[in-house]
Amino acid sequence: MRLARKGFEISPYVDPSAKTGTAPRDSDRNPGYPSIMEKLRATPAAGAIYLKDGEDLYTAGDWLVQERLADTLQQLADAGGLDFYDGDIGQSIAGYLESHEGFISADDLRNYRIDDLEPLFGEYRGFQVASTPAGSGAHLIEMLQILDHLDPAELDHNSPGYIDTVSRVFRATFADNVALKCMDFREAAPLERDIIALERAAAWAERIAGGDRVVVRSGEAVSGTTHLSAIDEQGNVVTFTHSVGALGGSGVVAPELGFMFNDFLGHFNPLPGHANSISPGKKMVGGAPAILFRDGQPHIIIGAPGGSRILTAMTQTIVNAIDHKMDLERAVSVLRFHSEEDQLIFVEPELEALVAGPLADMGNEVQPSSYMSRVQAIRVGGDGELEAGSDPRAEIGIGRHP
C-alpha cells in the first residue's frame, strides 16, 4: 500500500524502452498481439495510470503513483480476501466486466474455489525439491535432476563450456514440458510423472554428455509476473508467484479499482482438440515457486517472475548456491544466460564479450539480452539463521521522491 500510495521510482529494468533501445511502436509486435502502447490506450483508466500525462510510457527515473490501487489494497486489508469474490471489490469487478460484455460474471467470482493440490517432489544433491503441480514445477525439477548427473561445479562458472552444457539441459526440458503449457491440471499428472522420473533425467544427461546439441523448438518468453518469498518467526514459509500474463496485461483497468486484469487466456489455443485448448471450467497453474528441503526442513525458499526465464534463472541460482557455494545475494546477482529453442543462447550484455566467440564456435547463436528473471530467495541455515537473496535487476527506489 505504501509503494502504491507514495509511489516508486521506475528502474531501468521496468522501463520498456530500456529493453529495446526505443519506445515500443504499434508495428513492433508479435503477429496477432497488440503492442504495449495499444494495450495501455485500450481503456482510459489504464492510460491514466500507466501513461505519463496520458500520452507516453514512464521511463527510468520517473515516479509512479497508484492511488486507486492503494485504496483497493486497503479495502482487502479491512474486509478480508473474500471481498475480492463476493464483496464490494467483487461487485466492482463483475459490474465493470459485464457492462463491457466480458465473460466473467458475479456468479463466476462468487462460486470460484481454490484447489488445494499436493506439490511435486524431486531430488537434487541430496535435497528434496518441492514445486507446483500442473505448472512449471515439473520443468524446474527435471532441469535440476538432469544437472544432478552432470556436476556443473566441475566446469568454470559461466565459462563457454559451462554455458553450452547447461543451455543444452535447458533446451531438453523446454522440449519435454511444452505439452504441459496450458494443460488442465487435472489431466497433467501422468505426463508430469514421466517428466520428473529419475530415469528420464539420467537418459537426457547421457545424451548431453555424449554431445547431443539438443536442437528443439519451444515457446515464447512473456513477462508481467511478480514473486514473493517469505518466512515468519515460527518458520512457516511461502513462495508465491502471480502473473498478469504478457507485458501490459490485458490493458483493462476498472477505474475505481486501479489494477490491471491479466491476459492469461491468450496463452490458450482458441482451436478445439488440443491439450491447451480453451474449455469450460478449465484451470491452469503457472510459475514454479519451490522449496528445497534438507532433512525434512525448509532450506531454500525460492521463486521468480520473468516468463520462461523463471526456470533457467531459478536453476542457475540453486546451482550457484549449492554447487558453487555462493552466498545467496551473489547467487541471485551474478550474470546469467537463457536458452529454450534452436541453439539460441541469450546472455546478459556484460557476459557477451567474454563468451560469444567460443559459444559460436560450438554451433550456438548468441544474442545479448538485459531481460532476465528476478529471483527472490531465502536460505535457512542449520542454526536457523536466515540469509536473503533479492535480485538487484529490478531495484525499486522507495526512499525518496523528486
Side-chain angles (χ1 to χ4, degrees):
M1 284 184 284
R2 177 166 58 92
L3 283 169
R5 199 173 302 282
K6 299 289 187 182
F8 64 91
E9 184 179 343
I10 299 294
S11 71
Y13 188 94
V14 178
D15 179 359
S17 65
K19 295 181 176 66
T20 61
T22 60
R25 301 183 300 274
D26 288 351
S27 59
D28 295 339
R29 70 180 78 169
N30 295 317
Y33 282 79
S35 71
I36 185 172
M37 291 301 291
E38 287 175 305
K39 287 184 178 184
L40 299 184
R41 289 171 176 160
T43 56
I49 297 170
Y50 300 112
L51 294 178
K52 187 166 48 178
D53 300 323
E55 294 292 333
D56 301 311
L57 290 170
Y58 284 88
T59 56
D62 288 334
W63 199 266
L64 178 63
V65 175
Q66 302 169 86
E67 286 280 357
R68 292 289 188 183
L69 174 59
D71 292 341
T72 296
L73 294 174
Q74 185 67 61
Q75 170 73 13
L76 281 172
D78 294 340
L82 290 179
D83 194 73
F84 190 90
Y85 302 95
D86 197 20
D88 290 343
I89 294 175
Q91 291 174 17
S92 293
I93 293 171
Y96 180 82
L97 294 177
E98 289 177 352
S99 70
H100 289 79
E101 300 182 349
F103 296 116
I104 297 175
S105 68
D107 285 343
D108 291 327
L109 287 173
R110 188 179 302 113
N111 296 325
Y112 182 78
R113 296 294 180 267
I114 299 294
D115 293 275
D116 188 7
L117 306 178
E118 291 294 319
L120 295 177
F121 289 98
E123 303 174 11
Y124 186 69
R125 301 284 189 260
F127 294 90
Q128 186 182 45
V129 183
S131 192
T132 53
S136 297
H139 196 159
L140 176 71
I141 289 169
E142 186 184 25
M143 276 188 189
L144 290 170
Q145 290 185 160
I146 295 172
L147 285 167
D148 205 22
H149 291 273
L150 297 176
D151 196 3
E154 291 185 348
L155 299 169
D156 291 337
H157 183 260
N158 277 0
S159 65
Y162 181 94
I163 293 173
D164 179 72
T165 299
V166 177
S167 291
R168 287 185 281 145
V169 174
F170 291 165
R171 295 197 296 271
T173 61
F174 274 100
D176 276 353
N177 284 270
V178 69
L180 279 174
K181 187 175 182 180
C182 298
M183 179 181 285
D184 189 296
F185 64 71
R186 289 159 288 201
E187 302 172 359
L191 180 55
E192 286 180 319
R193 284 195 295 269
D194 290 342
I195 287 172
I196 65 175
L198 295 176
E199 297 81 6
R200 191 178 193 89
W204 267 121
E206 183 177 1
R207 287 176 58 178
I208 291 167
D212 191 328
R213 298 301 304 162
V214 193
V215 183
V216 301
R217 293 294 299 172
S218 184
E220 177 191 355
V222 297
S223 60
T225 305
T226 302
H227 182 85
L228 169 73
S229 296
I231 184 169
D232 69 10
E233 293 177 349
Q234 287 75 43
N236 300 302
V237 302
V238 172
T239 174
F240 171 80
T241 306
H242 173 264
S243 183
V244 75
L247 186 65
S250 63
V252 177
V253 175
E256 67 272 23
L257 298 176
F259 63 83
M260 182 80 72
F261 292 112
N262 80 40
D263 69 341
F264 249 98
L265 196 63
H267 293 264
F268 288 100
N269 191 329
L271 301 177
H274 302 275
N276 63 340
S277 295
I278 299 170
S279 59
K282 188 173 187 178
K283 291 185 179 181
M284 59 175 285
V285 180
I291 302 171
L292 275 70
F293 291 89
R294 181 172 60 185
D295 300 326
Q297 298 298 314
H299 177 60
I300 293 178
I301 304 100
I302 188 170
S308 58
R309 286 157 171 77
I310 290 172
L311 288 312
T312 56
M314 287 177 61
T315 296
Q316 287 173 82
T317 298
I318 292 169
V319 170
N320 290 343
I322 293 176
D323 296 88
H324 298 290
K325 313 299 183 187
M326 296 182 189
D327 64 74
L328 209 52
E329 189 61 36
R330 178 169 171 74
V332 303
S333 303
V334 293
L335 295 173
R336 285 201 213 104
F337 54 94
H338 172 83
S339 184
E340 62 178 281
E341 60 183 336
D342 298 326
Q343 293 187 75
L344 174 61
I345 302 177
F346 293 100
V347 299
E348 293 195 282
E350 299 88 341
L351 194 56
E352 181 190 18
L354 302 176
V355 300
L359 284 172
D361 292 340
M362 297 175 187
N364 300 292
E365 178 188 351
V366 181
Q367 290 186 14
S369 175
S370 59
Y371 171 49
M372 293 288 168
S373 181
R374 309 177 302 283
V375 180
Q376 308 298 325
I378 301 169
R379 178 159 51 188
V380 184
D383 56 0
E385 183 178 356
L386 301 181
E387 180 188 4
S390 183
D391 200 317
R393 288 168 176 83
E395 289 180 354
I396 294 177
I398 60 175
R400 64 176 184 84
H401 189 285

